[in-house]
Amino acid sequence: MLLELDDVRVHYGKVEALKGVSLTVEEGEIVSLIGANGAGKSTTLKTISGLRKVSSGHVRFAGEDIGHMPGHRRVERGICQAPEGRGIFPGMSVVENLEMGAYARRGSVRGDTEDDFDRVFQLFPALADRKSQTGGTLSGGEQQMLAIGRALMARPRLLLLDEPSMGLAPKLVSQIFEIITEINGQGTTILVVEQNAAQALARAHRAYVLETGRIVKSAPARSLLEDDDVRAAYLGGRIGT
Amino acid sequence: MAGVLVDPYCLAVIEARRSARMNGTRLRVVAVAAVMATVVAACGGGSSKSSSSGSSGSAIKIGFFGALTGSNSPQLGINIRNGEKLAMDQYNKTAKTKVTLVPYDSQGDPAQAPQLAQKAISDKVVAVIGPAFSGESKAADPIFEQGQIPNLSASATNAKLQLNGWKYFHRLLANDDKQGPADADYISKKLAAKKVAVIDDASEYGKGLGDVVRSKLGSAVTVNDSVDPKAAAGNYSSTVNKVNAGKVDAVFYGGYYQDAGPLLKQLRDGQFKGAFVSGDGSLDQKLIDEAGTTAAEGAYITCACLLAGASSDPAAQQFTKDYKASSGADPGTYSAEAYDGTNAVLKAIAAGNTTAQTINQFLTTVDFKGITKEIKFDPQGEVQGGAIYMYQVKDGKLALLGDVNTLI
Amino acid sequence: MNRLQIPDVRGSLSRSWERLPRWGRFAVYVLLLVGAVLLPADSIGRIMAPESDWKSILFFPIGVYVLLAVGLNIVVGEAGLLDLGYVAFFAIGGYAMALLGTEQGWSFWVILPTAIAMAAVAGVILGAPTLRLRGDYLAIVTLGFGEIIRITANNSNWMGGPRGIAGIPHPPNVGHVSQLQYGVIDPKPYYYLVLALLVIVIVVVQRLKHSRVGRAWMAIREDEDAAELMGVPTFKFKLWAFAIGASIGGAGGVMFASKVIAITPSNFPFILSVLILAAVVMGGSGNIAGVILGAFLVAWLPERFRGFADYRVLVFGGALVVLMIFRPQGLLPSRQRAEEMTEGQGGMGSMGAETAAET
Amino acid sequence: MLKLINFAHSEIFMIGTFAALFTMHGLGIDHAIGGFALVGALLLCALAAAAASGGAAVVLERVAYRPLRKRGASRLAALISAIGASFFLQEVFALRYGRDTLSFPRILSKTVLFHIGDGAVRTDKVLVVVAALVMMFVLDRFVAATRLGRGIRATAQDPETAVLMGVNIDRVVMLTFLLGGIMAGGGALMYGVLLEQTRFDVGFVLGIKAFTAAVLGGIGNLRGALVGGFALGLIEAYGSSVWGTQWKDVIAFVVLVVVLMFRPTGILGEALERARA
């Protein structure tokens, strides 16, 4: 088991945002987390990354309890997130943004990251043409690619993706998910949070459904695609590709 | 606790702290802690102090009003307070009715002056040495006037104060209407300067004095500048450039020594070779420390005050010795004036006048030979025959050249 | 967890306040007012200010600081605009009183509304070109405005230059009641005057706060962009906040000048802006009771500890740091503000992401 | 850089001037020296000033900023905390070393090299300008090209994402303060050499000027700060020669307002047009 959340509770002030979330991610899987706005999806990812404090419960990564570890050390352990809204550093160039991805690997020098750059530019050829452009001037799709590419620079064992399809044209959405599958194929475990449940469920191995801070369903992704409740709530009754 | 007066507020605080601890609520402890620390510490300081002044309730109180803390406190406060204290200590050695000194530390801030003047009235002081600054005088003197407390300033030289028709106002040295022209005369006649730069520090005192010099010198003033030393942050390069561009023979500076020192240094560094003249605010050994002995050498400084240490008069030398024994330092600017002023009040008390009104009445006729001059007040409260003295920096020391009128 | 404990206690206080019936609240207000009227008593003064004159300091600095803090709170606490030059409006009021009183011979009661209007206009003049700026940019511009007013006064002969203006008239006496005879010696009438003004200001401000204007300010404070998108004319309301805050500052200046008779530019230093801002923040910006408490402490503590003279500023500085560490939301924070804080996004933007601490 | 007005930065600078002064006293310098002795002495003073200022900045961050950051306090609270720290530090030095100006010994003979118009170009001024440019250049390169520099910029632009990239924010913030302190220390020595004086409140006005310059150029933009500094200096020099020195601050602020009206984020703009929505 690569990642395990065990009865995790998180508070914002007096409001309980996560009311005992338990989930697991196995090595090599794509797991998707679906749910409505405000269900606690992003909070779950932020908790795994260390941006939110755990009030109670455990977060285990590769057998180690990381629930109280500062966020930057979790990156060193191999957890990397492409955050919601992409979190591109607007004042930095594409290359500098990618270099930020490799930040946690202390010893990294240019030679060492050469391969990583190649890999990212192979996955996202569009970025290769815009190396020296600043992050703020990229289009939404390019920014999303940059965010994922940047996360890959850390050579993560677990890649967390928060709403990778948000605000993108449908064609780009499929493209992004194809790439996600490809990355997974190269051996990276992925936990993806999505509102676009159709795409997420189609690509994932397993999925969890989150409602108001609780996991209400967990099943293989395919079976959820057939689930009536899920279809009614998140798929608008229409099944995507 | 014995012997220390603990005022009820402090007790309340100690009590509150105890109950907070017993309740054990973290909130209270935390919220009150910061304030508490202040209060408790201050209660210690405050109460020991009030015990010392409170114990001598029967003695006659004479106030001191000026800056004991704050940026001008060495010159316009501590020098004066020490002079006043010396006079009172000497008096107490022999007198039956003792006098005590009650300090009112205004920090030179006119905004604090009214409440302190009010406090002096309710403390029933019979006279006040001060206020030290002209600015605070304007705020405090009307209150002293209404409260009928004679006040004798050893340092406030603003030339408008005496025009208010105040009966309780006195000062122990000539005002800026005398000092300014003396400076101007010295520059134009003795130094024979054709072109003069007049610079002031944009303060009430500095600009006031500078403007008097400007009007007296007239067209000889070819360069003018007004620099707030705070805004300059020690950098006078634009002023130095102006002075050099104007190719003047002399510079007059209206301001305080803290700023005159750096200005003088930068003028000399900027190759200014002419004479540097300044007023009483610059009269302090620190001027030389700050400008450096080379740069300060030869600078002229006028003052309506007599720097006792620089005088060869035997009475002044005796005063210098006593002062040093009493306060551990050489008498500074205004120390001797404060000493004379206090003695004027003490003479009134010795003559049996123990109320503010009778002391003030006595002051209208007082006439004795002080350290600095004959102490005798005109109806406006100005000391009569106040001379303007000229000092010059010689070998790193302030040397008295003499009365400006006799030098020209 | 610690963090939760603090608002809890405060919360119970405010809950019991909310449970009070209308007449109960009114009774508390009346009690407070009676307390304020009795405040100048000598017996209180001996405890509160053994080394200064209590009645005098009740007017200045305490009364005036409280008034200024209530005014600045509208700008900082309600609309969320950082103003580092509030002293400018205080100065405008003071100089209006001084110039119109000495040169035109106007009466205090004529000058007061005039000066309030002048300060409000000054607020608009400062605000109109600058209120589109945010955060630090606005802070430095307001700071500059405060300095411009002071330097102009210092270097303009018609404003008396560094000598300032003396002989400012007192307010005219009202009848023969001793509390209303405005002279040099008795500070009590001035205290009652500032108290009366303060009561009026507080009533007006609280009404405003619960009106449409107040809600608009709240929206601006929480998220200016969102407010704009929702159709709140943010610029207009920010300007209102500036003008109202400025006019209260101006009123404070008139009061101050009419009591002290002589004013100079050094009465209006930058540091006064900072002190008033500190009062607002340490009291609890946005909550009028907190702001009053903060201003009271800032004005009173230095007077209470005169004997401590040399260490006053040192201790004050240290206390500010300690207070901000333990109660960043102020001594009596406003409820909405407290919630904003726990969300980690104060009205002015938080200092950075809340990250899991190494605990 | 970190989007907060560090009011206490002036005091960090002030501490640097005192450290430089005491080092000079410690070295027994009382007259102008030259050659290697001068270089060595200046380096020692620079080291001492940078260490003192840098250390003070780090302590300041630990005491007055970090606890607030941990509590998610508003920037206003941080501003007040910094003001408190500023008062505190000033008073410590005022009480310990008095409120009068303290003079530096003359370490460098102030020889006029040549004249440009009425202005004399002097050795000390040349030295300071060169040293300042070198420091700016080194800092600029450091922030642009090193790993820590990237961490600083990332934290400034988006602290939460920076954490996701593995940036230790606490460490970066501390190092930023250290860096700022070291720069202030260098500046303090320059001030000492140029004006040969210091006082407990020496930093106050300079701090406001520095802040004005930074805003004028564009906050968080090093080159902007340089441009802003030069522009401010020119405006003040021009203002004081035309209207008199007393008006220079008024002129500087008026220019600032005009600039900000047309360019709300300074001359060069904020390096980081942070998406706010």
Side-chain angles (χ1 to χ4, degrees), chain B residues 7 9 27 30 38 42 69 105 107 111-112 115 118-119 138 142-143 146 158 160 202-204 207-208, chain C residues 5 9 47 50-53 56-57 60-61 154 162-163 184-185 300 303-306 310 312 315 326-327:
Chain B
D7 64 74
Y9 180 73
L27 157 80
V30 167
T38 328
T69 58
D105 176 12
Q107 303 184 312
Q112 293 189 34
Q115 55 259 40
Q118 209 89 47
K119 175 70 178 162
K138 273 193 296 196
I143 295 173
Q146 295 265 323
N158 182 306
K160 289 220 169 76
S203 77
E204 174 161 27
K207 184 162 191 296
Chain C
Q5 220 170 354
V9 178
I47 298 168
E51 288 169 73
S52 190
D53 185 63
S56 299
I57 69 173
F60 184 88
N154 206 39
R163 285 207 169 158
V184 177
I185 278 287
W300 171 67
E303 295 292 341
R304 177 62 184 75
F305 301 123
R306 273 202 164 268
D310 253 346
R312 283 193 301 194
V315 173
F326 289 104
R327 295 203 47 101

Side-chain angles (χ1 to χ4, degrees), chain D residues 26 43-44 56 63 74 87 89 134 137 144 160 212 227 232 242 247 255:
Chain D
L43 279 180
L44 261 175
V63 173
S74 71
F87 283 171
L89 289 172
V134 167
F137 180 76
E160 219 168 71
T212 312
V227 171
L232 187 64
V242 176
W247 293 107
V255 170

